[in-house]
Every structure is written in C-alpha cells, then in structure tokens.
Amino acid sequence: MAAFRYFPPNLCSKYMWTKQQFWQTLILVSVAISIACGILLALEYGYLVLLVSVPIAVVGLSVKYLFGRTLTESKSRAELLGRHVEELSHYIADQERMGKVLQKSEEQFRSSFDNASIGMALVAPSGKAFKVNRSLCDILGFDTEQLLTIPFHDMLNENDREIFALNLGKLLSHKETSCQMEMSVNGFADKLIWLMASISVVHDGTNGTSHFIFQLQDITDRKRAEARLIHDALHDALTGLPNRVLFLDRLNVAFKRAKRHFESNFAVLYFDFDRFKLVNDSFGHLVGDKLLVSIADRLRSILRSSDTVARLGGDEFVMLVEEISEVGDATVFVDRVREEMSKPFDLDGQLIYITVSTGIAGWSRKYERPEYLLRDADTALYQAKRLGRDRYEIFDEQMHHKALQSLQLANDLHRALEQSEMRVYYQPIVLLESGDLVGFEALIRWQHSIRGLVSPAEFIPHAEETGLIIPLGEWILRESCRQLKAWQLRSDEYSNLWISVNVSSKQFLNTDMVSLVADVLEKTGLSPICLKLEITESAMIENLDHVINVMNDLKKLGVQLSIDDFGTGYSSLSNLHSLPLSSLKIDRAFVNQMNEGGESGEIVRTIITLAQSLGLAIIAEGVETSDQKTQLQGLHCQFGQGYYFARPLDVDGIEELMSNSIKDLHASYPLPQTTPVTTANVD
C-alpha cells in the first residue's frame, strides 16, 4: 500500500500502455520483414516460396490480433486497478482521519474522567472497579489500589445493598439505561459517607460485554444538615430528649402495633419530680436547667433500645416502655428510675436531693386513641402525688393487678429457693499484669421453671422490697463458698483463688452478718482470706456506725472487705480512712468511658491514687477492650474483670475455662452484642 501512496494511478496506467505499444510495433515490423523477404524469394526462386511466406504472415497477423486484444483487456484492467487503488487511497486516508478523531476523543474522555470534580469509576458487572479517578479516592479515603480490590457493594451499608443490586440488574437487562440513588458507604476507617450515585451502563455490541459508569457525589454534609433540622424539630432543646411531637408519634406506632398483634403490650410512665419548683426558687433557673439535664441523662442511661423517654415541659418527663408482657412489668423501670434519682445531684458543688412521683397507664383494647394513655398516666401521676409523693400509681384497676403480680413474684421466689431454681454464675477476676486467674465474683441467676432465665433486674428489687433478699443473700454466700472450696481441692494451682460476694444493705442491718459468715466458713472449710464481701456505698448511708461495727467484726474473722461500684456513692469518702477495707472496685460506668477521655478517665485515676495512698487493692469491673486494659495497667490497677476476659459462667463453663489459659479468655468467650444490665448486687 505504501508503494501506491507515492505512485499515482494515472502514471501507472500510462507506463503500462507505452510498454504494450513497443511490443505491438515490434510484431508489425517482424511481419512486414517476413512478407518482404517472402516476396524477394518468390521473385528469385518462384512463387512456391511465397506459399511458405503466407502462413508466416498469417501467424504474425494472428499474433498481432491476439496481442491487440490482450492489450485492450490489459488497458481495461489497468484502468480498473487504478480506480481501485484510488478508492483504497481514499479509504486509508479516511481511516487515518477517524483514528485521529478517536484518539483525540479518548484523550478527552480520559482527561475528563481523571480530572472530574466528582467521583467516577468504571465498574465490571461483578462489582469490582477497573478504573477510578482521584476525586473518588479523596471522597472515600482509599488509594487507587485499594479501591480496585474492594467490590463496591462490600462498602455499602446493608440497607442499601438490595436496592443497589436491583438497580444494576435492571441496567444489565436493558430495562433501564441509567439510574440514580442515594446510598451510604463505609469509607476509610469505617467513616460513614453519603453519596448521590448516577449509574449508566455501556453495552459492547461487538463481544456482548457490559460495564457501568459510576458518577458519585459526596452529599454527607447535606444529609447531616437534613438530619439536624429533623432532630431539632422533634427534640427538646435543653435536654436533647424527644419532645411531645416525637413521643406521640412513637406512641401512635406502639398503639397500632398492639391493635394488630394480641401479644404486643406497652405502658406509659409519667414522671414528675417532687418540689422541683423549690430548686428553681432557691438556686435559680440556671441551676434548675442543669438539674433537668442531669435528670435526662440518668433516664437515658437506663433506657432500653426499644423504649422512648421524652420531656414534655418543665419537670415532666414521660417514658414509653415496650416489649412487656403486662403492665405490672413497667414497675421494674419505675424502681430503676427511683433508684437512680435517689442518688444526689452535684450541681456546681451543691448537692441536691430529689424524689420522683410516677403515674402508669398500661395498654388495653378499651383505648380508642393513643393520647388517652398519656392522659390516664397523668391522672395516675396526680393520684401518686396526692397520696404523698415519691411513689408510683397504676391507673385505676391496675393497682389490684400490680399487687397480684408482686405477690406472684414473691411466691415464685420462695418456690425458687425451695426447688433449687437459683443459680450462681461466676465471673473471673484476673491479675492485669500477667492475665492470671486470681478469683471470681459470684452473681445470682434465676432459672424459672416456666419463664426461663429471669433478669436479676426484675426480681432483685422485689426481693429487696419483700425482704427475700436476706435468704437469697445467705444462699448465694453458702453456695459460692462451697463451690470455691471444691475447686481449690482439685489442684494446688487453685488453692489461693478467692471469691467475691455482694452483700445487701438489708443483710448488714437486719441480720447477724458476723455469725452467718463464721458459720459458712466453718461448714465449707474455706479459708477466711479467700472470701471477699462487697458492699455498695449506698449501703452505708442508712446507718454508717452500725455498718462500720459489723465490718470491723468481719475483719477480725480474717475476711476481706471491699467497696463495690466505688465512685457512684457520695457519703463514704469522708469516712473511707476509718473503714477496714482491703480493696475498692471501680464502677463499670467509669471504665467503659475511659476511651472517651475527659471526666471518667480522671475519676479512675483519682480513685486509683486514693486507694494506693490508703494501701488498698483496686479491681476494675466492666473491662471490655484491650485499650481499657492497657490504660488500667498504665495507672497501676492490679485486678480486672469484664467481658474482655470472660463473661459470667456457670460451673461447667468455669471448669472448662480452668483447663485453658486465662490469657486466651477474650478469644474463647468473645464480647456479646449487647451490654448486660447493671444492677447492684446482681451484675
């Protein structure tokens, strides 16, 4: 082809024609000479010779004729070839022009793709990108190599994956040519990023393959602004709790669910804080507002994920308690609220004590509108305040139902003790420096014959109220000491293990605690040094002098004494030096918040420093992460317990644990998805 490019077609045809003329002339001359020679010979030798010349002439003329015909055909072919060469030259030129246009177009696309201000990606049907631009890397926080190895749907949040797959399926099946959707993805370090995605499909008609073009715009700031506006419209500006509008909306949802499902049940709790107006009048509205914020924080801390607490205005709060079997179950939440509110509020150095009155309205099919439950709960609240405040009342006939429910639970607790339905679970306590097992905390569990495992948060308050906490406390003391002694006898390796047992304030105040402990130690054969009794700070409020006397007598027996949940009380600090303690236990609430820095970390540091100055050992409960363990080690905390090492286990679980290394506990018993209920004396 290159030769034709420099040899014009008309010149080629002319050259071929000149060559053919030369041969034709040569043939004619040869024939003429042959004829002339024939004539001369004929004149010389006779006409017979002429007969020999005639065939030669005929042959020559035939050759001329054939040559002429061939020449004509060659000329035609040469002209045709010239036209073909000319057409081919034009085609080659067109192809070169098209190649330059395509190359320029590809360069423009590559430049637009690479320099686009929004994220762009070319994605295969499998979901893996085979080309991404710099903007997409900046949005997601990954480099190019990482993005090319991560399937795009793996970065999507679970709620968006199904819609994403459905849209791509429509594109591949030619049902749609493009689509748009908002979706949330997990960027670098699991950062939540919202994207507006415009997706189109490119079908290659040559080989039937397809791929997607993603155009991705970061809309995280917009989504946050929208969420902020919605939040402000539905939440109380002072406390951040849901307001009346949001509460009524959730109440309406619970109401409709209960209408559809017979097994669904819920209750509304209406709270009013007694003599709150006196706080405002005495200390001013600024302190009153701080008190409201603190109240909201405590209510929020005891809330389950399925429930809602809201501020309606002033000092009125309301709670929607869902997933309950009957309205009487709501009293468990009321007891927890009252327990939380009984602790003093420290506001700018001023200790403030408050009580709470509560009205309860339980769901029933007699209600026609959801707001009527709020009305009836308010009526029950008024009744509670009228009868003396610092109490709760269930609306109308539910008062009788509550009494029956409490009586049934008390009967069940009596039966549980008689029929051995109570269980002791043991949570390991380890030496933080080495990870070695040093002891256990004994925790009570109730395996109900009908209901299954009953939460301690449900039956312990009833046991406290009815006085059954005393026989329950004695049972767990005897059983845990007996079991520890049995483990100690199995091997010398376990001979120094100790057991911590929580002691109720009622046991300290209403029983001969010293005689009970002495009897247990004698009958089980357990060394006194291996028994540690844990007492909550709140137990010392009622009769500190009596508690100190009992503790001194227990110390004489050789028993170890510890303050449980240290830091959550307030009266024992000034008397701490006079208490015969061997250790302090840091409350899980402070340990859990150590990673967040701030006040909780400083409280832990202060408690450890205080204990060291008094020569007391420190046990941190609620250790759930390696970071918490490392921080506690750095603060020279000796012992720790929590889900990082092991969850509370029954006897079989502990014996299996003893056959393994305690250092591998957090791998063998991983942290569960939910945090267990924290209740005094029960864990």
Side-chain angles (χ1 to χ4, degrees):
M1 293 301 177
F4 289 120
R5 188 175 303 171
Y6 304 104
F7 198 83
N10 57 345
L11 184 61
C12 178
S13 177
K14 182 177 180 181
Y15 169 77
M16 292 177 66
W17 172 250
T18 302
K19 185 177 181 181
Q20 290 169 353
Q21 269 189 330
F22 168 76
W23 285 107
Q24 187 177 18
T25 301
L26 181 61
I27 292 171
L28 288 175
V29 171
S30 299
V31 170
I33 293 174
S34 299
I35 293 173
C37 291
I39 293 173
L40 291 176
L41 289 173
L43 293 175
E44 183 70 22
Y45 298 104
Y47 290 100
L48 289 176
V49 178
L50 185 59
L51 293 176
V52 177
S53 299
V54 170
I56 295 174
V58 171
V59 171
L61 291 174
S62 297
V63 170
K64 175 185 178 300
Y65 171 77
L66 292 174
F67 189 87
R69 184 176 177 181
T70 302
L71 182 62
T72 301
E73 291 176 353
S74 297
K75 181 179 179 182
S76 298
R77 285 196 297 270
E79 290 175 350
L80 180 62
L81 177 61
R83 288 196 298 270
H84 284 175
V85 170
E86 185 175 4
E87 290 174 357
L88 181 60
S89 298
H90 287 307
Y91 175 79
I92 292 173
D94 289 341
Q95 289 296 312
E96 289 178 345
R97 286 194 299 272
M98 289 177 64
K100 291 178 180 179
V101 170
L102 289 174
Q103 183 179 3
K104 185 177 181 180
S105 176
E106 182 179 352
E107 291 173 353
Q108 290 175 342
F109 173 80
R110 185 181 297 108
S111 177
S112 299
F113 184 95
D114 293 337
N115 300 317
S117 59
I118 63 174
M120 298 189 70
L122 301 182
V123 181
S126 64
K128 277 193 176 182
F130 56 87
K131 187 173 180 60
V132 296
N133 69 350
R134 183 69 258 169
S135 294
L136 184 58
C137 295
D138 293 339
I139 291 172
L140 298 180
F142 296 108
D143 57 33
T144 302
E145 290 73 15
Q146 289 174 312
L147 283 180
L148 295 182
T149 58
I150 305 174
F152 195 83
H153 55 78
D154 284 354
M155 291 186 288
L156 289 175
N157 284 326
E158 189 172 350
N159 294 336
D160 293 326
R161 290 181 183 177
E162 184 176 351
I163 299 176
F164 177 79
L166 182 63
N167 285 334
L168 263 57
K170 290 180 180 179
L171 294 176
L172 286 174
S173 61
H174 302 273
K175 293 181 179 179
E176 293 180 3
T177 58
S178 64
C179 69
Q180 278 193 339
M181 64 175 292
E182 291 182 359
M183 54 190 179
S184 56
V185 302
N186 293 317
F188 181 75
D190 287 334
K191 178 184 178 183
L192 180 64
I193 301 171
W194 279 93
L195 299 174
M196 170 62 75
S198 297
I199 307 173
S200 56
V201 64
V202 177
H203 297 286
D204 190 339
T206 303
N207 54 21
T209 60
S210 303
H211 66 271
F212 302 101
I213 300 177
F214 283 28
Q215 300 180 65
L216 304 165
Q217 185 176 0
D218 187 354
I219 58 171
T220 304
D221 290 340
R222 192 196 81 191
K223 298 294 289 187
R224 287 176 179 169
E226 292 174 356
R228 183 75 257 175
L229 290 173
I230 294 173
H231 181 275
D232 291 345
L234 298 175
H235 291 78
D236 174 57
L238 177 64
T239 63
L241 292 177
N243 59 16
R244 182 184 294 269
V245 175
L246 181 54
F247 181 82
L248 288 176
D249 178 72
R250 294 184 180 176
L251 178 59
N252 186 53
V253 172
F255 186 89
K256 291 180 178 179
R257 185 186 302 116
K259 281 283 189 181
R260 293 193 305 267
H261 305 290
F262 281 89
E263 71 279 5
S264 182
N265 208 344
F266 66 92
V268 175
L269 314 182
Y270 209 124
F271 303 109
D272 183 87
F273 294 88
D274 305 324
R275 291 176 289 275
F276 177 80
K277 184 176 183 300
L278 182 62
V279 175
N280 274 339
D281 294 341
S282 302
F283 303 104
H285 289 277
L286 182 60
V287 173
D289 287 347
K290 290 182 178 179
L291 178 58
L292 290 173
V293 172
S294 298
I295 289 171
D297 290 340
R298 292 190 184 184
L299 289 174
R300 192 184 288 111
S301 70
I302 65 176
L303 199 68
R304 300 180 307 172
S305 60
S306 60
D307 303 329
T308 301
V309 63
R311 182 188 177 214
L312 301 185
D315 63 328
E316 294 184 345
F317 293 78
V318 64
M319 184 182 292
L320 173 63
V321 179
E322 300 191 65
E323 298 181 5
I324 59 175
S325 59
E326 53 191 19
V327 69
D329 295 341
T331 61
V332 175
F333 292 88
V334 177
D335 289 335
R336 293 183 64 188
V337 170
R338 294 178 66 196
E339 181 183 355
E340 283 295 317
M341 299 308 161
S342 67
K343 303 171 186 176
F345 292 84
D346 187 353
L347 304 175
D348 297 332
Q350 180 67 50
L351 294 181
I352 296 177
Y353 299 85
I354 62 171
T355 56
V356 57
S357 298
T358 309
I360 305 173
W363 153 257
S364 74
R365 295 192 171 273
K366 71 178 183 180
Y367 286 106
E368 298 177 356
R369 299 172 62 88
E371 54 266 33
Y372 289 169
L373 280 97
L374 190 60
R375 177 200 64 193
D376 291 345
D378 192 16
T379 302
L381 170 63
Y382 175 80
Q383 178 74 359
K385 295 180 78 70
R386 188 182 68 83
L387 293 175
R389 305 173 186 269
D390 191 21
R391 59 183 296 151
Y392 64 84
E393 291 293 328
I394 301 176
F395 180 72
D396 284 343
E397 64 272 19
Q398 298 301 327
M399 295 177 63
H400 178 65
H401 179 75
K402 184 250 178 193
L404 292 177
Q405 191 263 351
S406 298
L407 179 60
Q408 182 62 50
L409 184 58
N411 291 337
D412 286 350
L413 280 172
H414 277 292
R415 180 180 51 81
L417 285 170
E418 296 171 356
Q419 300 184 5
S420 302
E421 290 184 356
M422 291 298 171
R423 302 285 186 271
V424 182
Y425 274 52
Y426 302 88
Q427 186 167 33
I429 300 173
V430 304
L431 188 65
L432 290 179
E433 182 178 0
S434 63
D436 293 333
L437 176 66
V438 295
F440 307 96
E441 181 179 4
L443 304 168
I444 194 167
R445 298 290 186 266
W446 182 8
Q447 188 66 41
H448 196 284
S449 58
I450 298 176
R451 298 174 57 189
L453 198 64
V454 180
S455 169
E458 180 178 348
F459 68 85
I460 289 297
H462 285 278
E464 291 274 3
E465 181 181 349
T466 60
L468 285 174
I469 193 66
I470 294 176
L472 280 177
E474 180 178 343
W475 176 84
I476 193 172
L477 177 64
R478 292 185 181 277
E479 178 61 20
S480 57
C481 289
R482 182 200 63 78
Q483 183 60 63
L484 179 65
K485 184 61 180 179
W487 283 331
Q488 289 179 341
L489 293 175
R490 290 179 56 181
S491 170
D492 291 339
E493 181 184 358
Y494 307 133
S495 60
N496 293 324
L497 292 177
W498 42 267
I499 190 81
S500 291
V501 181
N502 291 285
V503 178
S504 166
S505 60
K506 290 186 180 296
Q507 289 177 274
F508 257 83
L509 298 174
N510 301 323
T511 64
D512 188 350
M513 193 67 190
V514 179
S515 297
L516 172 63
V517 172
D519 183 66
V520 170
L521 293 175
E522 180 183 357
K523 291 183 177 179
T524 60
L526 185 68
S527 172
I529 197 67
C530 296
L531 174 61
K532 180 177 292 187
L533 300 179
E534 295 186 359
I535 309 152
T536 60
E537 289 188 66
S538 59
M540 303 180 188
I541 300 173
E542 299 180 34
N543 193 335
L544 180 61
D545 292 338
H546 175 72
V547 169
I548 292 177
N549 290 334
V550 173
M551 292 177 69
N552 283 325
D553 290 340
L554 289 170
K555 188 70 173 179
K556 293 176 183 178
L557 292 178
V559 173
Q560 298 186 71
L561 298 171
S562 176
I563 296 293
D564 190 22
D565 300 331
F566 188 80
T568 60
Y570 55 92
S571 64
S572 64
L573 289 174
S574 60
N575 301 291
L576 193 60
H577 66 281
S578 64
L579 298 175
L581 299 173
S582 58
S583 63
L584 298 179
K585 177 172 281 190
I586 304 175
D587 184 65
R588 71 177 67 246
F590 301 121
V591 175
N592 288 342
Q593 297 177 21
M594 286 182 64
N595 292 341
E596 302 175 6
E599 185 178 359
S600 294
E602 289 302 317
I603 290 175
V604 172
R605 183 187 302 274
T606 301
I607 293 173
I608 293 176
T609 302
L610 176 62
Q612 290 172 343
S613 67
L614 296 174
L616 302 178
I618 286 291
I619 305 171
E621 65 176 354
V623 181
E624 296 181 353
T625 67
S626 60
D627 288 341
Q628 293 169 356
K629 172 178 174 285
T630 301
Q631 290 184 62
L632 290 168
Q633 285 180 298
L635 295 173
H636 305 292
C637 177
Q638 296 100 320
F639 305 104
Q641 70 180 88
Y643 278 27
Y644 178 77
F645 306 106
R647 65 185 68 190
L649 302 168
D650 59 13
V651 173
D652 292 338
I654 291 296
E655 291 180 351
E656 179 182 355
L657 177 151
M658 287 179 171
S659 64
N660 300 319
S661 171
I662 189 67
K663 298 175 184 179
D664 298 327
L665 284 180
H666 60 277
S668 303
Y669 300 93
L671 187 66
Q673 297 299 314
T674 58
T675 302
V677 175
T678 302
T679 305
N681 303 327
V682 296
D683 203 306

